[in-house]
Every structure is written in structure tokens, then in C-alpha cells.
Amino acid sequence: MTIALPARAKLNLDLAVLRRRDDGYHDIRTTLQAIDLHDLVTLTPAQETTLTITGLPVKNTKDNTILKAHALLEQATKKKLPTEIHLHKNIPAGAGMGGASSDAATALRGLAAIHHVNADLHGIASQIGSDVPFFLIGGTAIADQRGDHLTPVPTNPQWFAIAWPGIELLTPDVYRAWDTVPGKISEAMPNQLTEAALTVEPNLREFAKSLGPTWRMTGSGSAYFCHCADEASARNITAGLKCWTAVAQAVGPWGE
Ligand code: C5P
């Protein structure tokens, strides 16, 4: 049996950084919104575990979050789960859209299904990364603490235009910059990592300026998005931009 699962991206509709913790992480409060832009994870039981990747470039296949998810699930279930895995990337890396996290969560769900194993997927997901647990449920959620304590809220139908300047930002760099450049949260800048990201990557300031005041950064950057009235206006807006763009709509929780 082969299964193919969409690994959907997210946008942070807002993001407040509350404090730096003793363990080096930061307590945050953010609204996570799943969108229909997605990678594709294909899983087939096999003799041994392999991972192949197509689509947008991925720097390091060996450290891929999917392989981390696979190893942790094997550990938790004390079983070998040999699987031929293929990942097709549509979500740019280092963009703040959670692509690698979503790939990991999707692999966990898919591997548990094809190998008929049970495990604490939420626990494994939060070991892989702070926003991985969100991708087990999707929809819309308020995320607290490291970003892994989730409170689902209703999903509003929404369209987004997304623009990515091709700059890969590393999440730890942006959080470290926040320690010295905390920035203020406001209606015009609902993501409190924005100033920190602009400090890490000054070229991003010019990009943000060229987009205009209605655009917001997602996560730790560097992609920006704006709310659009409908699909046509989102397509209209992205058609005029000379960078990687996408039109996406909000999606509700995955369900079982
Ligand atoms: O949890 P994740 O592996 O995605 O985090 C990557 C890095 O980003 C952490 O090692 C930490 O430096 C930073 N981070 C943070 N506070 C968070 C989430 C991430 O400081 N809430």
C-alpha cells in the first residue's frame, strides 16, 4: 500500500514573544493558520528506509525532519518501520511557513497508519520542533509556551497572497536577535519577530517596504503575506510581484 499525504503550510496571523526562558527557548503566543499550500509526502512499506526529494531545493537530506520523525517513531514503538519515503517540496525552506515541521508531522501520521502502530504522536512531534504538534491537527489554533501548547479555535474562510524573497532565515538566529531587538507589537506589526528578522537580514527591509503596509511577516520570516478579499484579488496582487509567490486559502482541522 502506498499513501500520499499533503503536508500543509501555516501562516502566523500574529505572534507575541513574551519572554526568553532559562532553557533558551522563548515563550510565545501566536495564532497559527493552516493553508492549502502543501508539500506531498508519499509512503510505501519497503525492505529498508529511504528518502528521496524533488521540487524546491532542500539543503540537507540526512538531517531531514522526516527521518527524525521516522527514527523517533521506531524508538517509541520499538519496531523497525522500513519505508520508502518520497517528499515533493512546494513550501520554501527558511520562510516561516513551517514546511519542514509539517513534513515531519505528516510523516508521523502516515507512518503510524501504514504500519498500524500507536504512539504518543504529540509527544514525538514536540521533540522534533515547537510547531510540529500543530501540523498533527491543522486548522486554526492559538499556540502558547514554546508554540507547542495548542488551543484550537474556529477557522475563518480567508484568502492570502504570499511573497517570499528567496532569503532563508534560521529560526534560532531570529529568536537570538529578539533578545536584543525585541520590537513592539502593534496592529501594523502583529508579528513581534519582525524587527529581529530585519536585523538578521537587513535586505528584508527593502523587500518589506516594496510590498507595502498591508503585508505581514509569518513566523521567524522571511515570507510575507496579506489578507485578500477573494482568490481573484490574491492572484492579482501576486501577479505583479517578481519573487516566489503563492495564493492560498485557510484550511480547517484535518480531522481523523
Ligand atoms: O523548536 P524548534 O526546533 O523549531 O526551534 C528552533 C530554535 O528556535 C530553538 O532552538 C530556539 O533557538 C528557537 N526558538 C525559541 N523559542 C521558540 C521556538 C523556537 O527560542 N518558542
Side-chain angles (χ1 to χ4, degrees), residues 44-51 70 74 80-85:
T44 315
Q47 293 295 324
E48 56 174 3
T49 296
T50 53
L51 172 65
H70 179 268
E74 282 194 335
K80 282 277 163 212
L81 307 170
T83 314
E84 192 182 299
I85 309 170

Side-chain angles (χ1 to χ4, degrees), residues 15 17 19-21 23-29 65 68 101 125-132 144-148 170-176 179 193 220:
L15 193 160
V17 186
R19 68 189 71 82
R20 185 180 192 279
R21 308 176 353 170
D23 63 5
Y25 279 90
H26 294 73
D27 280 330
I28 61 170
R29 171 161 261 234
T65 51
K68 258 182 225 164
S101 298
S126 61
Q127 279 183 61
I128 302 169
S130 305
D131 59 3
V132 180
D144 287 299
Q145 301 185 25
R146 257 199 316 142
D148 56 345
L170 298 176
T171 305
D173 293 351
V174 176
Y175 273 103
R176 212 171 301 121
D179 294 337
L193 287 174
S220 54

